[in-house]
């Protein structure tokens, strides 16, 4: 099993969403710094048996081969644009052909044509990603080549979504374990 870096594992996002404050309040700045140093060495993608590419976000206009991901040097600070940023932040968009603007204000969106072209060129069968709440915990896009798997059910107490986990067997057949949300029943 590998732990991959997501878009929240950056100093700036940790500060915005409270991880920095919690570390300072409960422990100390030194612990926070150790976490961010760890985040900076986490891999941003994984190639599973040359058949599946796993990442938090998605594809990038700068990504032309899987070897580019391997060539990224760590420790790595994630900037506001570029290959690493897109791998953590980009999203598929069914209404887009090619590359589109992201409403998140960072990175981009990509269409089904981009997915098909990249999977063919990289000779992979599947892209596994996260980064978007999915009502049923997971959802396929573009002829089932990318799948978004979102593990947090009842996300932030604001959504009624299920969470999911993908399980690949030794033959790389995939199945999903879905976690239905639980609510306080008072």
């Amino acid at each position: 099993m590998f732990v991959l870096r997501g878009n929240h594992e950056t100093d700036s996002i940790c500060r915005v969403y409270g991880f920095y404050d919690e570390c300072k309040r409960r422990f100390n700045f030194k612990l926070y710094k150790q976490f961010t140093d760890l985040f900076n060495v986490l891999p941003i993608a994984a190639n599973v048996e040359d058949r599946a590419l796993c990442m938090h976000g998605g594809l990038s206009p700068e990504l032309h081969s899987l070897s580019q991901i391997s060539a990224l040097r760590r420790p790595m600070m994630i900037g506001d644009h570029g290959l690493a940023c897109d791998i953590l932040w980009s999203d598929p968009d069914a209404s887009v052909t090619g590359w589109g603007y992201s409403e998140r204000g960072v990175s981009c969106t990509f269409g089904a044509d981009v997915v098909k072209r990249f999977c063919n060129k990289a000779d992979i069968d599947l892209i596994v990603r996260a980064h978007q709440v999915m009502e049923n915990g997971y959802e396929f896009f573009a002829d089932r080549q990318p799948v978004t798997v979102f593990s947090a059910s009842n996300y932030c107490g604001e959504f009624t979504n299920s969470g999911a986990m993908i399980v690949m067997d030794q033959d790389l057949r995939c199945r999903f374990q879905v976690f239905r949300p639980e609510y306080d029943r008072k």
Side-chain angles (χ1 to χ4, degrees), residues 44-46 53-55 63 65-73 76 83 87 118:
I44 62 170
L53 177 62
C54 303
M55 63 187 67
L63 182 61
S65 74
L66 296 178
S67 63
Q68 288 177 267
I69 298 170
S70 302
L72 292 171
R73 297 284 167 231
M76 179 184 356
L83 177 60
I87 288 172
F118 182 80

Side-chain angles (χ1 to χ4, degrees), residues 142-162:
D143 293 328
R144 300 177 66 88
Q145 280 188 301
V147 62
T148 299
V149 182
F150 196 82
S151 61
S153 64
N154 194 26
Y155 184 59
C156 292
E158 297 177 21
F159 296 86
T160 58
N161 66 293
S162 294

Side-chain angles (χ1 to χ4, degrees), residues 3-180:
V3 174
L4 299 179
R5 186 177 191 173
N7 65 318
H8 282 235
E9 286 76 44
T10 62
D11 182 67
S12 60
I13 297 297
C14 284
R15 288 176 187 263
V16 168
Y17 286 98
F19 185 64
Y20 170 79
D21 292 331
E22 185 172 351
C23 282
K24 264 185 30 182
R25 181 176 43 81
R26 296 178 63 192
F27 303 102
N28 54 49
F29 176 77
K30 183 179 177 183
L31 178 66
Y32 173 76
K33 180 71 172 116
Q34 290 172 325
F35 269 109
T36 56
D37 288 347
L38 170 67
F39 297 157
N40 289 339
V41 297
L42 289 174
I44 62 170
N47 179 347
V48 180
E49 300 293 325
D50 293 323
R51 292 198 34 215
L53 177 62
C54 303
M55 63 187 67
H56 182 75
L59 298 174
S60 171
E62 296 182 19
L63 182 61
H64 306 290
S65 74
L66 296 178
S67 63
Q68 288 177 267
I69 298 170
S70 302
L72 292 171
R73 297 284 167 231
R74 294 177 277 163
M76 179 184 356
M77 303 287 283
I78 306 298
D80 293 335
H81 60 278
L83 177 60
C85 175
D86 294 337
I87 288 172
L88 299 182
W89 283 93
S90 69
D91 295 308
D93 185 340
S95 70
V96 168
T97 299
W99 301 98
Y101 170 79
S102 173
E103 292 180 5
R104 295 179 189 272
V106 64
S107 189
C108 57
T109 61
F110 51 91
D113 61 318
V114 170
V115 173
K116 290 178 193 318
R117 194 168 40 251
F118 182 80
C119 288
N120 286 337
K121 187 173 184 180
D123 195 27
I124 59 173
D125 301 321
L126 182 66
I127 295 171
V128 181
R129 63 178 301 276
H131 198 229
Q132 290 175 292
V133 177
M134 293 291 131
E135 184 63 29
N136 296 312
Y138 69 96
E139 186 174 293
F140 286 97
F141 175 72
D143 293 328
R144 300 177 66 88
Q145 280 188 301
V147 62
T148 299
V149 182
F150 196 82
S151 61
S153 64
N154 194 26
Y155 184 59
C156 292
E158 297 177 21
F159 296 86
T160 58
N161 66 293
S162 294
M165 177 174 75
I166 189 170
V167 179
M168 287 185 185
D169 68 16
Q170 61 270 21
D171 297 317
L172 299 180
R173 286 185 299 248
C174 299
R175 65 180 172 81
F176 297 91
Q177 175 135 14
V178 176
F179 310 102
R180 305 278 177 229

